[in-house]
Amino acid sequence: MTPPVRELVGRDADLARLAEILGLDAPHGVGVVVSGDAGIGKSSLIARVSADAEEAGWTVAWGHCVGQSGSGVAHLPFTELVSRLEVLDPEAVEQVVATRPALAVLLPGRRDTVGASSPGQVAEAVHALLTFVGERSPLLVVLEDAHWADPSSRDLMTLLLTRGFASPVALVVTYRSDDLHRRHPLHETLAVWARIAGVEHVDLKPLDDAAIRDIVVTAGSLDLGARTTQEITRRAEGNPFFAEELAASTVAGQPISGGLSRVLWARVEQLSAPAQEVVRTMAVGGRTITHDLLVRLVDLGETELEAAVAEAVERHVIETRWPPAYAFRHALLAETTTADLLPGQRIRLHRAYAGALAADPGLGSPAELARHAAAAGDLVTAVRAAREAARADVAVGGPANALQHLEDALGWLPEEAPERDEVSLEASDAALTAGDVVRSVQLLRDRIEHPGPDQSPTVRARLLATCANRCRLVDLAFAQSPLDMTTEAMSLAPEGDDADRLFVLTAHMQQLVDTRQYPEAAALGEEATALAERLGTPLTEIRTVMSRVIEVHDDLDALERHIDGLLADLGDRDPLRVRIHHQAATMHHRRGHLEQSLEAYDRGAALAAELHIDWAPFALESRLIGGLTAYEIGDWDGAVRRLHVTDPLLPQPGRSFFDAALMSVRAARGEDIAEAEIASVREWWHVDGFGVVQLVMPAVEHYGHRGDLARALDIAEDAVDDLERTWGRFHAIVRLAALVAGQVAGNAPHLDSALLRRATTDLETMTARVDAVVAEPQRGAREPATSAMEDTNTETWAWDRRLRAELLRVRWLTGRGTPPPVAEMVAAWQESVDAFDRYGHPYETARSRTRLAAVLRASGDVAGARREAELAREVATRLGAAPLLRELDALEAAPATSADDPDALTPREQEVLELVARGLSNGQVGAQLFISTKTASVHVSRILAKLGASSRTEAAAVARERGLVR
């Protein structure tokens, strides 16, 4: 409901600015965040703008966030907003509900007509409704008091501000800035809002003294006198509400002293006893109360109640609302009244509220009942109501609110209460739905490690199996491994044909697969399949887990047939299809069929978006790895489109995965990556090794391109240590080692001896780990030989070929050890080119061609070098790969060596250069050529000048790249 319009004093400039931003005369889509202290005039200003908008033909609808009782109700302001739009434009609401049924969960009379909705479905429905209404007439939406917003509403506000509107929809969000502190839930959200492009921010400042004096005179009459008016103006400190209250208090005979709370309480103290009873009762409930609930709470007859309400309205303490309800004129009045209550008064009032709400649920939400019952000490009722509130929040797409209620319930339940088991499972489910996988696991671990004395074996088995399933989604370390959890669960699971036993069997089978105990998993799969058939349960989940066993015991062709069969058995909108599309994409990726892999990832991501489960585990990975696959096939714009995520509903650590993956494109394009960006992703390394892999690759490239090899080695070493602790042996070491070797070679001319020794040692260590990975029998291969990797894991094969070529290049450019024969290097780089070309990675093919060109030139094959460089440049130019283009420019910028070229080396200088490249000192060069050490030194100085090198090491590297020495 829109607040009444009051006369504005001193806000002409703010009103004009806000009207201009909103475009009252030229409607357009815009988001505005309005902030200011309590009482500064936010509501009055927005009410005036709303009235002006209505006069200009706009549709205006408000939604209020409510403190205390309202704060725990999911999407509360949007329920009010949508209900108001149903009154203003019922046809629009009907049309949107028909296409997006999730909107009905925000319409109290229709919630029972739809099932539970995800946050994404609700968000899409609200956005669609506002957009549609805006198409019919300009729409002004006001969401007031965001500092009281529930988590789901904060997320939805962020989404609306981020996405904006194609139709003329103006969204105004207000919040009380003096309420905020570092740990306030809105604090982090405001940081996000500040970065949203196009969102305007209006901060209302205190009024000047002249405006405050006008308010004082209007509120207090002309009888106050100049001195009193001046004192009130001084004490008001530019706050119009404070000025009104001080003036009114002075007129009533109260002294001008104390803070605002004392002034406000003086207003309440002037009321009669019945009116004070009404005000105190209202304050415990929050800012607003319905007439029906108030009647149940106060011990007053109808006539006496009406008189008490009328008195409080006349004294400007409360206001009337419609439908029949009452609200404090300002939230500060409610807060001041509540603070003045004695503990006993509070408990009695909370008990009265709880009794009324329990007797008639239509009077308020389960969240309100839970709060009042807990405050009254009735924890049994509080827990029951909190669980009911959580279910209601899940139904309207508010899992974060549901989690809050369930954690409250856990706080109220005794440690030994058997009910803690079910509430812990419910809370874990809510956390998972909200995207907080870590919290989901922690809630289960806490109950597993601290069971009550009456915890049943079946319930414990469920807790263990559920926890094991969710531990797969993160890499947090616990004393009990997931396999240990399901092993214990198996010992506790009920015998016979029981659904709980099937759940545990499936979870244990998944752990056996994850730990590569494939024969055991296959045997358990047969038992689980038989049990599922007896129970009449679909076999799809079991068959999905078993696909990994098929992958190991047969070939990839058999796996593809199995996946096709799974897809054929599922409905078109079955969420399990997302996981199976993900499996299909992974299979195609292993084979090097990247186009097919990307298609499968995109199908999974599209279905997830259609089902509004965008950030469920396999849905998130489908979009994420799809973006990385697009990067690999050379569709870098497509990769950016998939990896650049602005959806505020994506939680951590998922957001860090996308940020890191996007850095692969940015590093390859030579874009700057801030240190703070790398640090923010590293904060989540402890949660999931996947994030480690995503960050370390572009970070090594980024630091290497900047010439900071030490930082590249630092982060590579940290990543290897972290991943070995988490995963043990891992395939990503092959790519990482190849990238590190490439940066060592690329920076070789500038390395001092200490850094070169460190780099050489690190490469030797990583190469040993790579050798162990490459020597493993390949899953899905008929022959457990290294060559099988070429067919079953073409990515790892290509990076291994690249690593071997880079290691030869490092020896060649650094002069450490015996220089490799040029012919061997040409063959190695040709293998790398062929491997990446077969894999379908044009960028890495082009990088391999560039380095092949360098060794071809050194071998004297100038035409071949030119041919490879031209092919590489074509790809680098298309992709915008600036670092690769610079490498090609340096390769092709080698000076001519004709006799009339002043930079051409003399025959003697050529002889000296070849000995320097072998690592000989000036004295050793002189002895070898039968010249003095001083003469050798002069030749070396001239060589450095002609090559543009600052050291002997750099001169040797430059000479090798230019083909001057072999």
Side-chain angles (χ1 to χ4, degrees):
M1 181 176 177
T2 303
V5 179
R6 298 190 178 93
E7 181 181 359
L8 284 180
V9 178
R11 292 293 181 198
D12 292 347
D14 294 316
L15 181 61
R17 183 188 174 204
L18 196 53
E20 180 183 3
I21 293 171
L22 297 178
L24 294 188
D25 298 327
H28 59 280
V30 67
V32 187
V33 177
V34 179
S35 61
D37 292 350
I40 206 68
K42 298 183 296 299
S43 296
S44 298
L45 177 65
I46 304 303
R48 176 71 269 170
V49 170
S50 297
D52 292 344
E54 287 178 331
E55 288 182 11
W58 287 54
T59 300
V60 179
W62 286 50
H64 296 80
C65 303
V66 181
Q68 296 185 7
S69 63
S71 62
V73 181
H75 294 135
L76 179 66
F78 291 97
T79 298
E80 179 187 355
L81 172 67
V82 174
S83 298
R84 179 62 177 164
L85 289 174
E86 187 179 29
V87 174
L88 296 172
D89 195 342
E91 182 182 345
V93 173
E94 287 297 333
Q95 290 193 38
V96 175
V97 168
T99 57
R100 290 177 171 81
L103 186 66
V105 302
L106 299 180
L107 295 165
R110 305 195 193 187
R111 286 175 183 168
D112 295 337
T113 64
V114 293
S117 301
S118 71
Q121 289 173 310
V122 176
E124 287 289 341
V126 171
H127 188 270
L129 174 63
L130 300 184
T131 300
F132 185 51
V133 173
E135 290 171 351
R136 295 159 69 88
S137 68
L139 173 63
L140 172 60
V141 173
V142 179
L143 299 171
E144 198 173 30
D145 294 329
H147 52 280
W148 284 326
D150 61 275
S152 298
S153 293
R154 287 196 301 272
D155 288 342
L156 184 44
M157 289 178 196
T158 304
L159 183 140
L160 295 176
L161 289 170
T162 301
R163 291 186 62 177
F165 299 92
S167 61
V169 177
L171 174 61
V172 178
V173 180
T174 75
Y175 71 91
R176 191 194 291 180
S177 53
D178 57 335
D179 254 17
L180 299 188
H181 49 81
R182 188 174 60 84
R183 299 183 66 83
H184 192 284
L186 186 64
H187 189 271
E188 184 176 345
T189 304
L190 289 175
V192 176
W193 291 356
R195 296 192 296 269
I196 300 175
V199 173
E200 300 283 348
H201 297 262
V202 177
D203 183 28
L204 297 188
K205 303 298 183 183
L207 297 178
D208 59 30
D209 286 353
I212 293 294
R213 281 194 295 271
D214 290 343
I215 292 172
V216 172
V217 169
T218 301
S221 81
L222 298 174
D223 300 330
L224 290 176
R227 179 175 295 179
T228 302
T229 299
Q230 183 178 359
E231 179 63 14
I232 292 175
T233 301
R234 184 184 68 82
R235 288 182 176 274
E237 297 181 340
N239 189 299
F241 179 70
F242 203 169
E244 289 179 4
E245 294 303 316
L246 287 169
S249 177
T250 303
V251 170
Q254 300 294 326
I256 308 174
S257 60
L260 179 57
S261 60
R262 291 182 59 183
V263 172
L264 295 176
W265 179 240
R267 172 74 63 87
V268 176
E269 279 186 319
Q270 295 173 20
L271 299 175
S272 65
Q276 287 193 35
E277 181 182 354
V278 167
V279 170
R280 289 190 177 97
T281 302
M282 286 179 57
V284 169
R287 186 175 179 180
T288 304
I289 190 172
T290 64
H291 175 79
D292 291 342
L293 180 55
L294 184 60
V295 168
R296 297 286 293 269
L297 294 173
V298 295
D299 188 18
L300 297 173
E302 184 176 343
T303 302
E304 195 175 9
L305 174 59
E306 289 179 356
V309 168
E311 180 185 353
V313 170
E314 183 181 351
R315 295 295 185 91
H316 303 290
V317 175
I318 65 174
E319 299 171 333
T320 58
R321 296 284 175 89
W322 186 262
Y326 312 107
F328 281 96
R329 180 168 171 268
H330 197 282
L332 290 174
L333 279 163
E335 294 168 17
T336 300
T337 303
T338 303
D340 189 72
L341 291 173
L342 297 171
Q345 291 175 303
R346 281 201 191 91
I347 290 176
R348 288 190 292 274
L349 285 170
H350 282 300
R351 189 178 297 126
Y353 267 96
L357 294 172
D360 185 355
L363 293 174
S365 69
E368 293 177 83
L369 173 57
R371 183 176 74 87
H372 290 298
D378 183 0
L379 298 184
V380 173
T381 299
V383 170
R384 183 176 66 249
R387 295 179 70 179
E388 184 180 346
R391 289 190 289 272
D393 285 339
V394 169
V396 300
N401 296 69
L403 175 60
Q404 199 170 62
H405 291 310
L406 292 166
E407 290 203 0
D408 286 342
L410 288 171
W412 297 328
L413 282 168
E415 187 79 23
E416 65 276 5
E419 195 175 358
R420 288 187 70 89
D421 295 321
E422 291 297 333
V423 176
S424 294
L425 284 164
E426 291 171 7
S428 178
D429 289 344
L432 187 68
T433 305
D436 193 344
V437 181
V438 175
R439 193 67 170 176
S440 177
V441 172
Q442 289 172 335
L443 286 161
L444 295 172
R445 289 300 310 166
D446 182 68
R447 190 54 182 165
I448 290 169
E449 293 171 1
H450 302 90
D454 298 324
Q455 187 178 71
S456 73
T458 299
V459 169
R460 184 169 182 81
R462 282 177 54 206
L463 286 164
L464 287 162
T466 305
C467 188
N469 283 338
R470 290 175 188 172
C471 281
R472 300 183 68 244
L473 306 176
V474 291
D475 289 320
L476 295 173
F478 295 101
Q480 192 178 23
S481 71
L483 179 60
D484 291 340
M485 293 180 203
T486 56
T487 300
E488 182 183 348
M490 286 288 292
S491 69
L492 299 170
E495 297 293 336
D497 295 349
D498 186 276
D500 285 321
R501 180 171 184 80
L502 178 61
F503 177 72
V504 172
L505 282 174
T506 307
H508 189 50
M509 181 174 60
Q510 180 68 72
Q511 290 304 318
L512 290 172
V513 169
D514 288 349
T515 53
R516 302 184 180 184
Q517 300 181 54
Y518 302 114
E520 295 86 347
L524 200 63
E526 294 178 4
E527 180 184 348
T529 299
L531 176 55
E533 289 174 343
R534 291 196 300 272
L535 293 172
T537 301
L539 298 173
T540 314
E541 181 73 26
I542 299 170
R543 291 173 63 195
T544 302
V545 177
M546 287 297 294
S547 63
R548 285 284 303 280
V549 180
I550 294 172
E551 182 180 357
V552 171
H553 285 82
D554 207 332
D555 56 25
L556 295 180
D557 292 333
L559 176 61
E560 186 168 6
R561 290 192 297 271
H562 181 75
I563 288 174
D564 289 343
L566 288 173
L567 291 172
D569 291 343
L570 289 173
D572 290 342
R573 293 175 58 82
D574 191 317
L576 190 56
R577 292 182 72 92
V578 176
R579 178 176 179 179
I580 299 172
H581 283 312
H582 180 279
Q583 282 192 336
T586 303
M587 174 194 64
H588 292 311
H589 198 281
R590 282 189 56 197
R591 282 177 153 175
H593 301 165
L594 299 190
E595 296 284 354
Q596 287 178 265
S597 177
L598 181 56
E599 289 175 7
Y601 280 131
D602 283 348
R603 280 196 294 271
L607 177 59
E610 184 181 337
L611 298 175
H612 300 281
I613 53 172
D614 306 63
W615 308 126
F618 290 101
L620 182 151
E621 282 197 15
S622 292
R623 177 166 172 178
L624 176 66
I625 306 180
L628 290 168
T629 305
Y631 162 75
E632 289 179 315
I633 66 176
D635 180 11
W636 286 7
D637 290 338
V640 171
R641 186 174 64 253
R642 292 171 176 86
L643 297 174
H644 181 64
V645 177
T646 58
D647 187 349
L649 299 180
L650 173 60
Q652 292 288 16
R655 185 173 297 279
S656 72
F657 295 166
F658 281 89
D659 291 342
L662 191 57
M663 289 179 194
S664 291
V665 182
R666 294 171 61 192
R669 283 179 166 167
E671 298 174 6
D672 186 52
I673 300 174
E675 197 63 34
E677 295 180 83
I678 294 175
S680 66
V681 175
R682 286 198 67 169
E683 289 180 7
W684 298 97
W685 273 19
H686 70 287
V687 175
D688 198 317
F690 191 70
V692 182
V693 172
Q694 295 312 310
L695 175 64
V696 68
M697 308 296 181
V700 165
E701 297 280 81
H702 165 68
Y703 289 129
H705 292 155
R706 289 172 49 191
D708 193 349
L709 185 65
R711 297 293 294 278
L713 295 175
D714 286 343
I715 198 166
E717 290 173 3
D718 291 346
V720 170
D721 290 344
D722 203 301
L723 291 170
E724 286 197 329
R725 282 195 305 271
T726 305
W727 291 351
R729 189 174 294 172
F730 60 100
H731 270 243
I733 187 65
V734 184
R735 179 183 172 197
L736 179 58
L739 292 177
V740 171
Q743 293 302 335
V744 172
N747 285 275
H750 317 292
L751 301 181
D752 59 36
S753 57
L755 187 54
L756 181 56
R757 282 195 301 271
R758 177 190 173 189
T760 302
T761 301
D762 284 359
L763 282 176
E764 289 172 352
T765 302
M766 282 193 282
T767 302
R769 292 184 169 98
V770 170
D771 291 341
V773 168
V774 173
E776 286 182 334
Q778 295 303 297
R779 295 196 303 271
R782 296 187 181 279
E783 300 177 23
T786 303
S787 60
M789 183 179 287
E790 191 174 355
D791 298 317
T792 62
N793 202 326
T794 53
E795 178 187 13
T796 300
W797 173 255
W799 282 108
D800 181 63
R801 296 301 85 200
R802 170 72 159 273
L803 172 62
R804 308 304 160 174
E806 291 285 17
L807 292 174
L808 293 174
R809 180 170 169 244
V810 169
R811 283 171 53 196
W812 181 46
L813 294 177
T814 61
R816 294 181 70 87
T818 303
V822 173
E824 183 182 351
M825 289 192 293
V826 169
W829 279 110
Q830 187 63 61
E831 282 190 23
S832 180
V833 170
D834 293 343
F836 277 112
D837 189 46
R838 175 181 176 179
Y839 177 48
H841 199 324
Y843 173 59
E844 294 302 345
T845 302
R847 286 217 286 185
S848 295
R849 286 192 190 281
T850 301
R851 289 156 197 180
L852 172 60
V855 294
L856 285 172
R857 181 168 180 167
S859 72
D861 186 356
V862 177
R866 184 181 301 112
R867 181 181 62 253
E868 297 296 336
E870 287 174 355
L871 290 171
R873 184 175 291 279
E874 180 183 344
V875 173
T877 301
R878 176 175 63 83
L879 297 177
L884 181 55
L885 287 169
R886 288 195 296 269
E887 187 175 342
L888 284 162
D889 290 342
L891 174 64
E892 295 170 6
T897 56
S898 60
D900 57 352
D901 186 350
D903 288 331
L905 300 178
T906 66
R908 173 61 80 181
E909 288 169 348
Q910 182 68 37
E911 290 179 316
V912 172
L913 176 60
E914 291 177 355
L915 295 175
V916 168
R918 287 166 51 190
L920 274 63
S921 67
N922 289 347
Q924 290 170 323
V925 169
Q928 188 84 9
L929 298 179
F930 302 102
I931 59 177
S932 69
T933 300
K934 182 176 181 180
T935 300
S937 177
V938 171
H939 284 308
V940 169
S941 297
R942 289 174 178 169
I943 291 169
L944 294 180
K946 289 181 178 182
L947 297 181
S950 59
S951 68
R952 297 161 62 90
T953 302
E954 184 176 359
V958 170
R960 290 189 180 92
E961 286 196 309
R962 294 181 182 176
L964 300 177
V965 296
R966 298 184 183 182

